[in-house]
Amino acid sequence: MVELNALVADLQDEGAEIDGLVSGLERGAWATPTPAAGWTVAHQIAHLAWTDQRALLSARDAGAFQAEVAHFAEVVPLDRLDQLVDEFAAEGAKAPPEELLAEWRQGRTDLAETLLELPGGTKLPWYGPPMSATSMATARIMETWAHGNDLADALGARREPTGRIQHVAHIGVRTRDWAYLVRGLAPPAEPFRVELTAPDGAVWTWGPEDARQRVTGPAHDFCLLCTQRVHRADTALVAIGADADRWLDIAQAFAGPPGPGRAAR
């Protein structure tokens, strides 16, 4: 298990890399459309700031977070939380870029410090099952990385994959069953073997070596696929077995309703 200190350091590094994509932008560039329909650069940063603040609220005041979730549920069913997410992103995007960036930076700092201060064993309420501090940090890395790819695509920047994507891949594997359940499907009963080639050439593995259902290929492709930032046809992933093949069509590492995915290039 990865130590919390290392996870939080990776979360901070991921945030800093994305910060570097937007910190020098002229005001007009914040209105640049991104691959997420209807979202500009400002929407993306506003969303990251908002979700970091939700994680911070959960870590600092679980009762207040749960009350907020109950309020959200009065507005829209939680399985349609994406509607509220869009509204909050749109509202946040109205702020001047310098204010929005400052808010996101402060939230990132506050969240990192708060996660490190939590007593061991603390469970944080969330929009699904409660999470440990390590799981929350991992989830924030995943979301920051995913939206960072949207920003890079919009701004014509190239991001080199780093070892931090192992956290994204881990969530992608752990949420295998979720991808089925969120679509009203029964998850496969047997375990899968997943073997992914890391950016440095190492091989990351999950599941029993003798599993009949297998997925292999570049870790970067797998991370893009399970965060629905690429169409499966544009990856080098290989599935062995009908169940593994089906999983790659629906993989989804994030909470909420089934995402639309991306069109093939």
Side-chain angles (χ1 to χ4, degrees), residues 136-222:
M136 180 64 82
T138 305
R140 298 311 307 140
I141 292 171
M142 182 268 291
E143 185 157 28
T144 304
W145 179 84
H147 288 281
N149 282 298
D150 292 342
L151 289 164
D153 288 346
L155 298 171
R158 178 175 174 80
R159 299 185 67 201
E160 292 297 331
T162 72
R164 295 192 297 270
I165 66 171
Q166 186 172 14
H167 307 307
V168 183
H170 182 69
I171 291 183
V173 173
R174 291 288 301 272
T175 54
R176 184 202 73 169
D177 288 1
W178 166 252
Y180 289 86
L181 294 171
V182 76
R183 290 166 174 79
L185 304 172
E190 60 182 302
F192 289 6
R193 175 72 169 182
V194 178
E195 298 179 355
L196 303 175
T197 304
D200 65 359
V203 177
W204 298 330
T205 63
W206 293 262
E209 293 184 15
D210 60 352
R212 294 181 299 173
Q213 305 291 326
R214 310 175 71 85
V215 169
T216 62
H220 187 236
D221 284 4
F222 180 78

Side-chain angles (χ1 to χ4, degrees), residues 50-56 58 65-66 69 124-131 136 139-140 143 255:
W50 183 80
T51 46
D52 280 347
Q53 287 294 335
R54 305 283 66 71
L56 184 61
S58 173
F65 176 84
Q66 290 166 328
V69 171
L124 308 177
W126 199 238
Y127 302 103
M131 293 194 286
M136 180 64 82
R140 298 311 307 140
E143 185 157 28

